[in-house]
Amino acid sequence: MQANRHLKSILAWWRPAVFSFMDWGVFALRSYHYLLLLSRFFTVSELSSQTWLNFIWLMIAFIVPMLFWFPGRRMSKGWFCILELLLGGSYYINSVFHPDLASKADYLLPSLTMGYLLNKRTLWIIPAVTLIPFTFQTYLGSSWEQTLSMGVDNLLFCFIGIWVSFVAKAYHQKNEMAAEIEQQNKRLTLYAAEIEKMTLLEERNRMSKELHDTLGHSFISLIMSLDASIALLDRKPAEAKDRLIRLRELTEQNLDEMRNWVHEMGDEESNLTQQVEELVDRFREHTGIVLNLSLVGTEPLLRFEGQQAILRVIQESFTNALKHGKASQLDLELRFSESMLQLIIRNNGKPMDKLEYGFGLTTMNHRIEQLGGSLRVSSKEENITVTEVRCEIPLKGVMRYVQN
């Protein structure tokens, strides 16, 4: 249990860490772009005032947009894109107009960064990065093909950034769905535990009341009669003996009464059909799922082990259909024939790519095999996906012996 909690805490930390990794990756690419351009200034033998001005310009283009977007701290993506385009884009154009500038720029990685941070308010960034090369086409005397190629390169990297952003958002949504599913599983587990607790408490209270009303009075009467008989042993032994004989008869009557009560209680509990109906009603009430129940044939007297095996198969199948299959509809059919008990549970949840016998299925299968029956789980896709749990038990393995 402690190891499981430790694993969950690691996953809780790891998911946002993986999600922020993409932010840091894009941030690192942009930083590499500007740091590479800045490093080229140190290769110039003579630093003129114009060189210093370009160096300061590039530093501003690198630092100022980060005041509005920095992974994990500042998330004003709109202002980042505006400043990136104004400062970094203008330096890019400036480097084209000054062929002697040591630190010439392209605009691929900044285009990728802005694409990654794009939102509905900054969709104008897409045509902007595409049209930047056309601002200096006339100055360079470039052909339309060359200019268009540069614009398409910027557009391509912008769409790469958009794609990375979609991947990050999809991963984030997947984590949110996983967290929601985990929460639903917890609720389902708590529901099952609560139902079991309520059932045990109700049964304990009922048995306590029955024991008090039936056996309590009988034992009190016996104790009082025994005390009176003990008092008569020395003075009136014949009367004491007569009382003891009558007490023995009373004890036998009480024993028969207790056996009848236990037998009646056993008959009530042995009604599998009633228990299945109650289980279905509770499951409908607590989950809201569409659950169709079909009971065919007349139920014979079943042993406790047979009842429990069937009930556990139903409970495990219902839980798996919701937990793993995300089913919205369940169909339960319990059929009694002359020699066979059949249980069929179908759901419209996700199909199983590979059947794996975990603890629940293994336990169910073991219970059924001990009764001489078989358990089969299958999935098929036709017009709709159907996952089926089919259980067949020979009645001779579960019927209770009735003494005439």
Side-chain angles (χ1 to χ4, degrees):
M1 183 67 69
Q2 185 176 1
N4 190 29
R5 287 196 297 267
H6 182 61
L7 178 60
K8 289 182 178 179
S9 64
I10 293 176
L11 290 175
W13 171 86
W14 177 249
R15 286 170 180 168
V18 172
F19 179 68
S20 65
F21 174 78
M22 293 189 178
D23 280 1
W24 282 105
V26 173
F27 179 81
L29 288 174
R30 178 185 179 273
S31 301
Y32 167 77
H33 168 80
Y34 282 102
L35 292 175
L36 181 63
L37 295 179
L38 288 168
S39 66
R40 293 175 182 172
F41 281 100
F42 297 101
T43 62
V44 179
S45 57
E46 182 177 352
L47 296 176
S48 62
S49 57
Q50 183 63 37
T51 302
W52 277 111
L53 178 62
N54 289 326
F55 180 82
I56 295 173
W57 188 350
L58 190 58
M59 284 289 294
I60 293 173
F62 174 46
I63 295 174
V64 171
M66 289 194 300
L67 298 177
F68 295 90
W69 177 69
F70 194 90
R73 295 184 181 271
R74 293 175 286 276
M75 298 300 291
S76 183
K77 299 178 180 180
W79 278 106
F80 174 91
C81 292
I82 294 173
L83 292 173
E84 175 64 58
L85 190 64
L86 291 176
L87 298 174
S90 61
Y91 183 85
Y92 169 50
I93 296 174
N94 176 65
S95 67
V96 174
F97 281 104
H98 294 82
D100 57 335
L101 185 62
S103 187
K104 288 188 173 295
D106 56 41
Y107 212 57
L108 300 180
L109 292 180
S111 297
L112 184 147
T113 304
M114 287 188 288
Y116 178 75
L117 300 176
L118 202 67
N119 55 39
K120 293 181 180 179
R121 295 182 178 180
T122 55
L123 288 175
W124 52 269
I125 292 293
I126 297 177
V129 298
T130 307
L131 296 175
I132 283 179
F134 291 90
T135 60
F136 49 77
Q137 179 192 17
T138 303
Y139 175 79
L140 292 179
S142 304
S143 64
W144 281 100
E145 290 78 4
Q146 291 175 330
T147 306
L148 184 61
S149 176
M150 297 172 65
V152 169
D153 288 342
N154 289 346
L155 181 64
L156 175 63
F157 271 75
C158 182
F159 274 109
I160 291 175
I162 294 173
W163 175 77
V164 174
S165 176
F166 280 153
V167 172
K169 290 177 181 177
Y171 186 84
H172 180 65
Q173 291 174 355
K174 180 180 76 68
N175 286 339
E176 288 184 340
M177 290 179 62
E180 183 178 353
I181 291 172
E182 184 178 349
Q183 186 66 23
Q184 291 294 335
N185 290 341
K186 288 181 179 178
R187 291 177 182 174
L188 195 60
T189 302
L190 289 175
Y191 154 74
E194 188 66 22
I195 290 297
E196 183 177 0
K197 181 179 178 181
M198 290 172 60
T199 302
L200 291 174
L201 183 60
E202 181 181 353
E203 183 63 18
R204 184 195 307 172
N205 291 337
R206 189 173 72 88
M207 291 183 67
S208 298
K209 183 178 179 180
E210 293 289 346
L211 288 171
H212 178 271
D213 293 343
T214 56
L215 298 182
H217 176 73
S218 299
F219 279 116
I220 291 174
S221 299
L222 285 171
I223 291 171
M224 293 178 64
S225 298
L226 285 172
D227 288 340
S229 300
I230 292 172
L232 292 173
L233 277 176
D234 295 332
R235 293 184 292 108
K236 298 178 181 180
E239 185 178 347
K241 181 179 179 180
D242 183 61
R243 279 179 173 269
L244 289 173
I245 291 174
R246 284 187 281 117
L247 281 176
R248 187 181 184 283
E249 293 175 354
L250 178 61
T251 304
E252 288 181 349
Q253 292 175 4
N254 289 338
L255 180 59
D256 291 338
E257 184 179 351
M258 184 187 70
R259 285 174 175 170
N260 292 334
W261 171 72
V262 172
H263 180 70
E264 290 173 0
M265 184 179 68
D267 284 344
E268 179 183 353
E269 290 298 316
S270 68
N271 192 338
L272 176 63
T273 301
Q274 181 181 353
Q275 294 184 72
V276 170
E277 290 176 338
E278 292 174 354
L279 175 63
V280 167
D281 290 339
R282 290 198 301 267
F283 202 79
R284 283 177 183 149
E285 178 182 353
H286 287 273
T287 65
I289 196 170
V290 177
L291 207 168
N292 301 314
L293 174 62
S294 176
L295 300 171
V296 181
T298 303
E299 177 188 347
L301 290 174
L302 302 178
R303 298 204 326 260
F304 176 80
E305 294 83 355
Q307 301 170 40
Q308 291 301 302
I310 295 298
L311 290 173
R312 294 298 176 264
V313 169
I314 295 174
Q315 290 175 332
E316 186 70 15
S317 300
F318 284 2
T319 301
N320 289 340
L322 283 187
K323 182 177 180 181
H324 302 297
K326 309 298 182 297
S328 60
Q329 179 175 328
L330 287 163
D331 296 299
L332 168 61
E333 180 179 352
L334 185 60
R335 182 184 296 271
F336 300 97
S337 63
E338 292 182 359
S339 60
M340 187 71 65
L341 182 156
Q342 288 184 319
L343 173 69
I344 304 171
I345 305 169
R346 300 185 181 94
N347 71 77
N348 65 344
K350 295 188 297 185
M352 297 180 299
D353 297 330
K354 181 180 179 182
L355 178 60
E356 295 182 357
Y357 274 77
F359 178 80
L361 280 177
T362 301
T363 303
M364 288 161 48
N365 192 48
H366 181 67
R367 284 175 177 265
I368 300 302
E369 286 181 347
Q370 284 186 325
L371 299 173
S374 62
L375 175 71
R376 188 172 70 251
V377 183
S378 61
S379 285
K380 59 182 179 180
E381 293 184 71
E382 297 178 352
N383 296 330
I384 59 173
T385 301
V386 176
T387 300
E388 181 182 276
V389 177
R390 181 179 290 268
C391 175
E392 296 183 350
I393 304 176
L395 282 180
K396 66 179 182 180
V398 292
M399 285 186 64
R400 188 169 48 181
Y401 174 72
V402 180
Q403 185 176 6
N404 295 328

